[in-house]
Amino acid sequence: MFIAVISPELAVKNTFGESLSGPIANIVVRNWGALISLIGLMLIYAAFNPASRKLVASVAATSKFIWCGLVVIFGSQYLSTAGIVISFDFFVAVVLLLYVLASKNDAI
């Protein structure tokens, strides 16, 4: 999703099959891309820093569940184009949640 920071139009077109319009949409999509990229970087960091894994996994799972819910509730017309992304993100969120629930309570 780093591409959304550089080319928000391309990210929206690839994910939703729609074009981006207006300056506020440009700002929001770039921010969306930056936040997703930051969570990805956090996941990479957590892979090498066990003390942060549960917190990072919890943040990433929560973010993905919110994203999936918003698209299903408010953007069901986009499920034909974003359905694969939503399904994958939901699967990843479940795996992350299972990791958090199954791991020891040493650190969060």
Side-chain angles (χ1 to χ4, degrees):
M1 281 311 298
F2 183 70
I3 191 71
V5 176
I6 297 167
S7 178
E9 297 86 6
L10 181 62
V12 171
K13 186 73 169 169
N14 286 343
T15 304
F16 298 106
E18 299 256 344
S19 61
L20 184 68
S21 62
I24 192 69
N26 197 12
I27 293 167
V28 170
V29 174
R30 285 180 193 273
N31 185 60
W32 169 55
L35 291 173
I36 293 170
S37 298
L38 286 171
I39 290 174
L41 291 172
M42 287 171 43
L43 287 166
I44 293 168
Y45 172 80
F48 299 101
N49 187 345
S52 66
R53 285 183 188 157
K54 284 181 70 174
L55 175 62
V56 171
S58 298
V59 169
T62 301
S63 174
K64 288 187 176 299
F65 280 129
I66 291 170
W67 155 249
C68 293
L70 288 171
V71 173
V72 168
I73 293 167
F74 298 109
S76 59
Q77 69 271 26
Y78 301 115
L79 289 177
S80 62
T81 54
I84 293 172
V85 173
I86 298 302
S87 299
F88 178 76
D89 277 356
F90 185 79
F91 172 76
V92 170
V94 169
V95 170
L96 290 169
L97 180 63
L98 290 174
Y99 167 76
V100 169
L101 295 175
S103 62
K104 291 185 195 178
N105 289 329
D106 294 340
I108 186 161

